[in-house]
Amino acid sequence: MSYLDINLENIACNYNLLKEKVAPYALCASVVKANAYGIGAKQAMKTLQKAGCKDFFVAGMDEALDLYKISKDNLFMLHGVESYEEAELTYHHNIIPVLNDHHQIDVYNDFGKKLNKKLPAILHFDTGMGRLGIDREDVQKIINHDFINYQYIMSHLACADEPQHPHNIQQLQMLQKLQKFFPNSKVSFANSSGIFLGKDYHFDMVRPGCALYGINPTPGQPNQMKQVVTANAKILQRRVLQKDQHVGYGSTHIAKKGSKILVAEYGYADGYPRALSNLGKCYAQGYFLDIIGRVSMDLMIINASAIPDQIFQSIKHVEIFGNNIKIDDLAAQAKIITYEILTGIGKRTLKNYM
Amino acid sequence: MSYLDINLENIACNYNLLKEKVAPYALCASVVKANAYGIGAKQAMKTLQKAGCKDFFVAGMDEALDLYKISKDNLFMLHGVESYEEAELTYHHNIIPVLNDHHQIDVYNDFGKKLNKKLPAILHFDTGMGRLGIDREDVQKIINHDFINYQYIMSHLACADEPQHPHNIQQLQMLQKLQKFFPNSKVSFANSSGIFLGKDYHFDMVRPGCALYGINPTPGQPNQMKQVVTANAKILQRRVLQKDQHVGYGSTHIAKKGSKILVAEYGYADGYPRALSNLGKCYAQGYFLDIIGRVSMDLMIINASAIPDQIFQSIKHVEIFGNNIKIDDLAAQAKIITYEILTGIGKRTLKNYM
């Protein structure tokens, strides 16, 4: 069948590479939200724990509840708590919420009051991302909450993948100002790309995600990260055309008599961009092969005429992306981002962890 | 949390509507591959069984093994068997393979020979789709296989959604010729759109998929099918901006001071096309609202300034697609097809079956 090879060792390598870049006084957390960017959150988390990581970030409650049993140290939940019930869930499952607005703070503080305990949290300020987080103008309103221990204050960079973007330094300066209001809290700021902006951005804890899974955190420069995922599609059929013939839905391509055609069990339901119909390439046995006709839900059609006969008949799989078809190139060709390829990987595709 | 409402009753309605269109002598099967186009294969299958469907199609072995326990009658596997082991699996799990080439036929016949039994199968001819299936020129080579009972011969339409396309009638005529070689086999041809090409295309069994799940089988004409899926995103945060402010990654949008902003827990990892950054709309409380800034992995940012204050503060969810944001329009705006939206629905989103 079609399968993904997921190289966990390379996730550990990427973690170590990032750690080397990070200021020695800063912790290196790992973001494992969205099923570790499609790769498998449990497997990624165990691998990263072995590599020394103790701090993990997920998005919402569903992900936190899915992973709390594996967490040994800190499991942070980015989307926060909005009700007493959610606050209770975090407390009983050892999940530390990131608090993003006054309502979340009030809910969490009230819950702490009922328990008469100071509860751990991260306080999130919006320094320019304009998404989640407290307005920096409101900082005075939130420094007194008796039942919350703000372990960290955090913020999130909007343009870290563009090192020259003026917003980076503006966000940094804003966070430095906010920091002074919380002398007992640590600070977390940088995502993967933020790590490469320099040590000023590292504070007490960085939070890489994409780079762990092989996505280039420094676009426009060579990718320093090791590739983690290879996708291999099973060949269902090998045909030598007996005449000129249309292939695929909408009859958008004519393959010539004598063409060697492979039909692979991989389609857009497996996460392959249909936009690469008649455009994309895959790879087998030293050859880059054209995808012809429209990519369908479960299948794609490949022109393998370049491959010699005896090899052609024995091809069991083609590489969809991996060592030869770079996932970043595939995404760029489909006019999407690599993150979308990873998080879009279909769930029926077998994941082979190594 | 964010959730999908999946209206199973409407799947049953769609099945019944299709059945009414189908010639009275023809069976109406259901295609439930790719997790029933992302909707949930088990739930769809049980619903369709209650509506009277006895014949189901899946793509590969993984899907067949996931569903064989639910199957009471015929579970057909489109991708066929390529080894003795796969033939054995189909036999022990009551799965009927579609045989797509000479190799698959030989494998399956050899397995039948070992059992000394005539095994059920569908024989697939390529009449112009140029994807899976036997070349029609090879029909003479395959009529004698002692250990296979070809319950059906089948073929697949390439251009059924374009009723005027000349390939439809060409494919039909080809299949009618092939039919004569198999006087003891029934015939299956039409997919969803094929049903609307008229009764000549119905033969003994039609195989709708997309139309069951609400996708328009007659593009360019009004959609007769009932909508099955509604996606609702949880609102994590409501903000009134205290100044003009950039929002989202890359700072691609400036929202004005006083803007009412919603941050919703729905991003491209949930299947929302990132291509609709600064373009898409969602819906709440009678208002169509702009998505502003880039869609991120887990979140999107929405300008809800049109909504009166007291309603704004109480908004818990927004409609991503459903009754108001038509899924077909959403797909068209993102320059993809509705099938990709459905099969791309993220697995962390809660499915609420009703």
Side-chain angles (χ1 to χ4, degrees), chain A residues 33 63 79 100 126 129 131 135 137 156 158 167 239 243 245 248-251 265 296 298 348, chain B residues 33 63 79 100 126 129 131 135 137 156 158 167 237 239 243 245 248-251 265 296 298 348:
Chain A
K33 64 189 174 70
E63 294 180 353
H79 291 183
N100 297 293
D126 178 12
M129 176 71 177
R131 200 176 56 172
D135 278 330
E137 291 80 2
H156 195 64
H167 286 183
R239 297 172 69 178
K243 57 187 174 312
Q245 192 171 340
Y249 281 117
S251 303
E265 194 178 36
S296 47
D298 317 293
R348 68 179 167 190
Chain B
K33 64 189 173 72
E63 295 180 352
H79 292 183
N100 297 293
D126 177 13
M129 175 71 177
R131 200 176 57 172
D135 278 328
E137 291 81 2
H156 195 64
H167 287 183
Q237 191 165 10
R239 297 172 69 177
K243 57 187 174 312
Q245 193 171 340
Y249 281 116
S251 303
E265 194 178 36
S296 47
D298 317 294
R348 68 180 166 187

Side-chain angles (χ1 to χ4, degrees), chain B residues 255-302:
Chain B
K256 293 282 173 199
K257 179 178 174 178
S259 296
K260 290 174 206 148
I261 302 294
L262 298 170
V263 182
E265 194 178 36
Y266 210 91
Y268 59 78
D270 304 296
Y272 194 83
R274 185 172 170 277
L276 294 184
S277 296
N278 283 314
L279 271 181
K281 286 187 188 294
C282 54
Y283 176 89
Q285 308 281 343
Y287 296 88
F288 289 89
L289 307 171
D290 288 338
I291 294 167
I292 56 175
R294 286 199 191 139
V295 172
S296 47
M297 190 179 288
D298 317 294
L299 300 167
M300 59 172 68
I301 306 163
I302 298 160

Side-chain angles (χ1 to χ4, degrees), chain B residues 11-54:
Chain B
I11 295 181
C13 287
N14 288 339
Y15 181 76
N16 288 328
L17 192 148
L18 292 170
K19 243 178 118 172
E20 280 170 26
K21 306 266 175 207
V22 172
Y25 47 81
L27 292 173
C28 187
S30 297
V31 179
V32 292
K33 64 189 173 72
N35 198 29
Y37 293 38
I39 274 169
K42 286 176 187 171
Q43 292 82 355
M45 200 161 156
K46 285 177 188 167
T47 300
L48 290 159
Q49 283 172 331
K50 276 190 208 152
C53 183
K54 295 176 182 235

Side-chain angles (χ1 to χ4, degrees), chain B residues 63-91:
Chain B
E63 295 180 352
L65 292 178
D66 197 37
L67 295 175
Y68 79 94
K69 281 189 187 163
I70 302 175
S71 167
K72 296 174 190 161
D73 299 282
N74 293 323
L75 184 62
F76 300 105
M77 185 175 68
L78 289 161
H79 292 183
V81 291
E82 58 149 9
S83 65
Y84 184 90
E85 291 70 29
E86 288 193 358
E88 210 170 12
L89 279 173
T90 59
Y91 179 72

Side-chain angles (χ1 to χ4, degrees), chain A residues 201-216:
Chain A
Y201 289 78
H202 295 176
F203 293 95
D204 301 295
M205 179 168 65
V206 299
R207 310 184 307 272
C210 70
L212 296 171
Y213 313 114
I215 294 177
N216 189 358

Side-chain angles (χ1 to χ4, degrees), chain B residues 146-343:
Chain B
D146 295 339
F147 298 97
I148 306 179
N149 168 26
Y150 294 121
Q151 293 187 339
Y152 289 86
I153 64 166
M154 72 167 255
S155 193
H156 195 64
L157 286 155
C159 306
D161 56 347
E162 302 172 58
Q164 305 309 324
H165 201 296
H167 287 183
N168 293 322
I169 185 82
Q170 290 167 14
Q171 286 197 260
L172 175 63
Q173 288 166 348
M174 185 66 66
L175 185 58
Q176 285 164 337
K177 279 184 201 159
L178 289 165
Q179 183 180 17
K180 296 190 180 120
F181 290 88
F182 299 88
N184 301 318
S185 299
K186 294 175 178 173
V187 179
S188 175
F189 193 29
N191 54 7
S192 293
S193 296
I195 292 172
F196 293 82
L197 296 178
K199 295 204 173 16
D200 282 353
Y201 288 79
H202 296 176
F203 293 96
D204 301 295
M205 179 167 65
V206 298
R207 309 184 308 271
C210 71
L212 295 171
Y213 313 114
I215 294 177
N216 189 357
T218 54
Q221 289 180 53
N223 190 355
Q224 305 173 48
M225 314 317 296
K226 292 202 176 183
Q227 174 213 307
V228 171
V229 194
T230 302
N232 303 287
K234 174 183 169 179
I235 297 305
L236 286 176
Q237 191 165 10
R238 297 151 204 88
R239 297 172 69 177
V240 179
L241 295 189
Q242 303 188 36
K243 57 187 174 312
D244 290 1
Q245 193 171 340
H246 286 94
V247 297
Y249 281 116
S251 303
T252 60
H253 179 89
I254 298 178
K256 293 282 173 199
K257 179 178 174 178
S259 296
K260 290 174 206 148
I261 302 294
L262 298 170
V263 182
E265 194 178 36
Y266 210 91
Y268 59 78
D270 304 296
Y272 194 83
R274 185 172 170 277
L276 294 184
S277 296
N278 283 314
L279 271 181
K281 286 187 188 294
C282 54
Y283 176 89
Q285 308 281 343
Y287 296 88
F288 289 89
L289 307 171
D290 288 338
I291 294 167
I292 56 175
R294 286 199 191 139
V295 172
S296 47
M297 190 179 288
D298 317 294
L299 300 167
M300 59 172 68
I301 306 163
I302 298 160
N303 189 337
S305 299
I307 297 187
D309 283 350
Q310 69 280 21
I311 302 180
F312 173 72
Q313 288 301 339
S314 67
I315 292 179
K316 296 267 189 281
H317 290 91
V318 296
E319 180 190 301
I320 299 295
F321 56 82
N323 274 327
N324 302 287
I325 307 280
K326 298 291 177 198
I327 191 172
D328 290 333
D329 297 341
L330 178 76
Q333 196 182 16
K335 299 194 171 68
I336 59 177
I337 57 172
T338 310
Y339 303 69
E340 290 175 276
I341 300 277
L342 286 183
T343 59

Side-chain angles (χ1 to χ4, degrees), chain A residues 15 18 22 26-33 37 53 55-58 76 78 98 122-125 129 131 152-158 171 175 187-195 201-213, chain B residues 249:
Chain A
Y15 181 77
L18 292 171
V22 172
L27 292 173
C28 188
S30 297
V31 180
V32 292
K33 64 189 174 70
Y37 294 37
C53 184
D55 302 280
F56 292 90
F57 282 81
V58 295
F76 299 106
L78 290 162
V98 174
I122 294 182
L123 184 60
H124 184 187
F125 282 99
M129 176 71 177
R131 200 176 56 172
Y152 289 86
I153 64 166
M154 71 168 254
S155 192
H156 195 64
L157 285 155
Q171 286 196 260
L175 185 58
V187 179
S188 175
F189 193 30
N191 54 7
S192 292
S193 297
I195 293 172
Y201 289 78
H202 295 176
F203 293 95
D204 301 295
M205 179 168 65
V206 299
R207 310 184 307 272
C210 70
L212 296 171
Y213 313 114
Chain B
Y249 281 116

